[in-house]
Amino acid sequence: MLTMKFGGTSVGDVPRLQEVVSIVKQFLPEQPVVVASAMGGLTNVLLETAHNAVQRKYELVQNAVTSMRDRHLHIAMTMIKDEARRSKLIQEQIASFEELSQLYHGVSMLRELSPRSLDAIASFGELLSCRQIAAVLEENGIASQFVDARTIIRTDNNFGEANIDFVFSNAAINQAVTPLVQKKIVPVVTGFIASTEEDITTTIGRSGSDYTGSVVGAAVNSREIWIWTDVDGVMTADPRYVKGAKVLSEISYREAAEMSYFGAKVIHPKTMVPAIGKKIPIRIKNTFNPTHPGTLISAVPSADRSSAKTVTSIDNLSIIAIEGNGMIGVPGVSARIFSTLARAQVNVMMISQASSEHNVCFIVPHKDSQAGVKALREEFSIDIAKKIIDDVTVKEPVSIVAVVGEGMIGSKGIAGKTFSAVAKAEVNIIAIAQGSSELNISFVVEQADARNAVQAVHDAFHLS
Ligand code: ADP
Ligand code: ASP
Ligand code: MG
C-alpha cells in the first residue's frame, strides 16, 4: 500500500483535482490510500465565519456560506458528468451547507463559540472535500470510497488539538481501510478530523491532515507515506521569504520534526511520530511537478552531511522575563515559574536562563502572553513587594529563528558562524537557546528583524 495525502492547494480547484486523478491512476498498482485536506483556504473561511456568526454579522455569514457552497457545487457541475453520481453529490453538498448554516445560526443565537463548536464547524471542510474527491475518482473509472475519519480515529476531548488514542484508532483504521484496498477500492479518508468516544467531532490541530496521513499510513503498514503539496519538497528555508532556498533530497525524521516545530509549514511536526515507530519513509511531493523526486524523510541520516541544513522562523511570539537579584541561588524559582504557567495553560516554547540566575526568560505564543504575565505576577506578588523580584516583563512581537541539521552535532563553530552572520545583518539577538540534542540552535529576535536574520544565516551556510 501507498498512502498519499493531498493538501489544500492540491485539491482546491478543477485542474488540481484532475492532477489528483492522474496521480492516483498512475499509482493504482501500488494500492493507494488517499487522505485529503479541505479545499485550499476553506478551513480559514469556515472559522472566520464562525467568529462573524458569534458577532451576529449575518450578511457576512450568508455571503461566506454562499461562496463556499458555490465553490463545491462548481466542482460537481464541471467534473461529474454521470447524472446519478452528480445529483447524489450535489444533494450531499446542499445538505452539508444547510447543516452548516444551522450551526452558524445556533452560534449567533447563543453568542457562544466554544472550541468544541469550532471543531464541528471546521470538520465540514474535509468532509466536503473528500466526498467530492471520491466522486471525481469514480467518475474517472477509479473505484473509490469516501471514509469519514470520525468513525476510525478516536481522540480525547482536547478540542482544537485533540490527542489520538492509537490503540483504538489503529485497529479501527485497519478494519475500515484494508478490506477496501483488498477489493481494489481507493479509500478517501478525511484528514484533520476525528471524534471522541462519545462521537463528538474533534480536530487534531491546524495543518493536521499531514498527521492523519501518517497515522493512517502507519496503521495499514504502507510502504511509504507521500505528502503531496505545492512545492518540490522540504527546502533549506521557506521559499516565500528566502532568496535562493533550495530543495533537499533527503532529511532525517529528527530534522523534519525539529524544523517543522520551529516553523517550517511544509509538514506538521507530529507527522513523523507514527512513521518513526514503523520506520516508514515519508516523501514530500509536488502536485504541480509530479515527476520531481521530492524529499525523502527517513531514519537514515542523509548522505549530505553538511552541517546546517535549514533555517526556519516562527512569528507572533512574546518573550516574558523575570528578573531580580533576589532570585540568585534561591531554589525553586524555576519550578514555581513553570508550574504557574502550566496551570494557566500557557505553552512554553523555549527557555533561556542566564547562568547568573538573575534572569529567566521564556517564549510563549503571543495569544498566551497576557494570561502568562498575569499568572506570574500573582504567583510572585510577595516576592515583587519584597523586591526579591524586580518585575515580570514582556516584549512582543518577537520571532524564534532556528538553524537545524544533524550535521551540526559535534561540529564546532556553528554557533559562532550563526551569530556573526546575524550581527553582520545588524540584527539584535534578544535570547539564545540550544537544544541539548545539538540538532538545532535557536534564538529570538524582534519580529521585524526575523526575515533578515533568516536570510543572513541561510547565506552564511551557503544553503542556496
Ligand atoms: P498543504 O496545503 O499542501 O498542506 P502548506 O501550505 O501547509 O501546504 O505547506 C506548503 C507550504 O509550506 C509551501 O507552499 C511553502 O510556502 C511553505 N514552507 C515553509 N517552509 C518551507 C520549507 N522549509 N520548505 C518547503 N516549503 C516550506
Ligand atoms: N484543513 C486543515 C487546516 O487548514 C487541515 C490541513 O489542511 O492540514 O488546518
Ligand atoms: Mg499543510
Side-chain angles (χ1 to χ4, degrees):
M1 273 183 256
L2 186 58
T3 301
M4 300 204 197
K5 176 262 171 177
F6 293 92
T9 350
S10 301
V11 298
D13 58 26
V14 173
R16 292 295 86 218
L17 285 167
Q18 269 156 355
E19 189 57 50
V20 170
V21 170
S22 105
I23 289 168
V24 172
K25 209 171 247 175
Q26 183 188 343
F27 291 99
L28 273 182
E30 296 245 27
Q31 303 184 299
V33 175
V34 171
V35 175
S37 295
M39 296 178 86
L42 203 92
T43 310
N44 285 343
V45 179
L46 284 165
L47 298 176
E48 270 161 31
T49 307
H51 290 286
N52 288 332
V54 84
Q55 294 168 46
R56 301 193 166 171
K57 296 180 178 166
Y58 297 119
E59 205 182 314
L60 289 180
V61 174
Q62 190 50 53
N63 291 345
V65 171
T66 308
S67 98
M68 288 190 280
R69 196 195 55 195
D70 291 350
R71 194 171 166 200
H72 287 86
L73 287 175
H74 176 72
I75 301 294
M77 315 273 218
T78 45
M79 299 193 78
I80 315 284
K81 302 281 178 265
D82 179 271
E83 229 161 89
R85 187 176 295 124
R86 183 173 57 197
S87 82
K88 178 167 176 274
L89 179 62
I90 289 177
Q91 269 170 27
E92 285 168 351
Q93 290 173 331
I94 288 172
S96 289
F97 282 102
E98 263 162 26
E99 199 187 323
L100 179 63
S101 291
Q102 279 169 11
L103 284 181
Y104 286 141
H105 183 69
V107 163
S108 40
M109 288 289 104
L110 293 166
R111 292 210 179 184
E112 186 190 62
L113 185 57
S114 61
R116 171 172 161 168
S117 310
L118 282 169
D119 279 359
I121 289 167
S123 70
F124 281 78
E126 273 65 17
L127 292 169
L128 284 155
S129 170
C130 292
R131 280 216 180 84
Q132 80 191 3
I133 294 168
V136 168
L137 291 175
E138 286 268 333
E139 178 72 17
N140 286 275
I142 301 166
S144 158
Q145 167 84 53
F146 163 75
V147 179
D148 182 344
R150 295 176 302 177
T151 61
I152 53 175
I153 301 183
R154 178 181 284 177
T155 65
D156 63 7
N157 63 359
N158 185 26
F159 296 103
E161 185 122 30
N163 302 294
I164 295 175
D165 170 349
F166 281 96
V167 176
F168 177 93
S169 308
N170 285 342
I173 292 167
N174 258 309
Q175 220 168 31
V177 171
T178 311
L180 291 174
V181 176
Q182 280 161 354
K183 282 186 253 165
K184 300 203 185 317
I185 298 171
V186 178
V188 182
V189 185
T190 53
F192 183 50
I193 67 173
S195 82
T196 65
E197 203 175 344
E198 293 82 27
D199 283 336
I200 310 297
T201 301
T202 56
T203 64
I204 57 172
R206 288 306 306 272
S207 300
S209 294
D210 297 336
Y211 185 27
T212 308
S214 91
V215 169
V216 171
V220 301
N221 292 310
S222 257
R223 178 175 72 76
E224 287 192 359
I225 295 160
W226 289 10
I227 309 284
W228 287 95
T229 183
D230 59 359
V231 282
D232 282 337
V234 175
M235 302 176 79
T236 50
D238 188 338
R240 287 171 298 182
Y241 307 129
V242 176
K243 284 197 286 287
K246 72 162 205 268
V247 180
L248 294 158
S249 58
E250 272 181 54
I251 59 173
S252 68
Y253 290 127
R254 292 209 298 168
E255 288 170 331
E258 204 89 359
M259 64 185 290
S260 56
Y261 178 78
F262 285 107
K265 197 188 165 227
V266 64
I267 187 162
H268 188 282
K270 288 183 185 165
T271 313
M272 274 52 73
V273 176
I276 289 173
K278 291 197 167 170
K279 295 198 169 70
I280 301 176
I282 301 171
R283 203 179 279 278
I284 311 291
K285 301 263 302 169
N286 189 357
T287 44
F288 292 83
N289 188 14
T291 53
H292 191 288
T295 302
L296 185 68
I297 305 174
S298 69
V300 196
S302 75
D304 168 18
R305 286 187 161 273
S306 59
S307 57
K309 253 183 213 156
T310 65
V311 192
T312 58
S313 63
I314 325 180
D315 290 343
N316 297 319
L317 306 175
S318 303
I319 182 163
I320 299 178
I322 299 193
E323 270 187 31
N325 287 321
M327 285 162 61
I328 300 174
V330 179
V333 174
S334 300
R336 278 170 69 197
I337 293 174
F338 296 111
S339 54
T340 302
L341 292 168
R343 272 197 307 277
Q345 301 213 310
V346 172
N347 170 25
V348 178
M349 303 181 64
M350 177 178 142
I351 302 165
S352 159
Q353 178 176 28
S355 56
S356 71
E357 293 187 45
H358 154 270
N359 169 307
V360 178
C361 66
F362 40 88
I363 308 292
V364 303
H366 180 235
K367 65 172 177 52
D368 290 351
S369 73
Q370 288 211 330
V373 169
K374 184 165 170 278
L376 289 168
R377 286 204 175 124
E378 276 164 22
E379 168 70 26
F380 288 97
S381 58
I382 294 169
D383 310 70
I384 293 170
K386 286 188 186 162
K387 308 246 183 280
I388 294 171
I389 283 173
D390 298 340
D391 197 8
V392 180
T393 58
V394 59
K395 189 180 175 87
E396 56 200 11
V398 298
S399 303
I400 296 180
V401 176
V403 190
V404 174
E406 298 252 21
M408 289 163 58
I409 299 172
S411 91
K412 293 194 189 72
I414 306 279
K417 198 164 172 180
T418 303
F419 298 132
S420 61
V422 177
K424 232 189 254 165
E426 295 187 17
V427 169
N428 177 43
I429 295 177
I430 304 169
I432 297 173
Q434 177 174 23
S436 57
S437 66
E438 287 188 57
L439 194 63
N440 90 72
I441 293 174
S442 45
F443 55 94
V444 182
V445 299
E446 279 185 31
Q447 186 165 308
D449 291 334
R451 299 233 177 123
N452 283 342
V454 170
Q455 186 76 56
V457 176
H458 192 266
D459 294 346
F461 284 98
H462 304 294
L463 295 178
S464 47

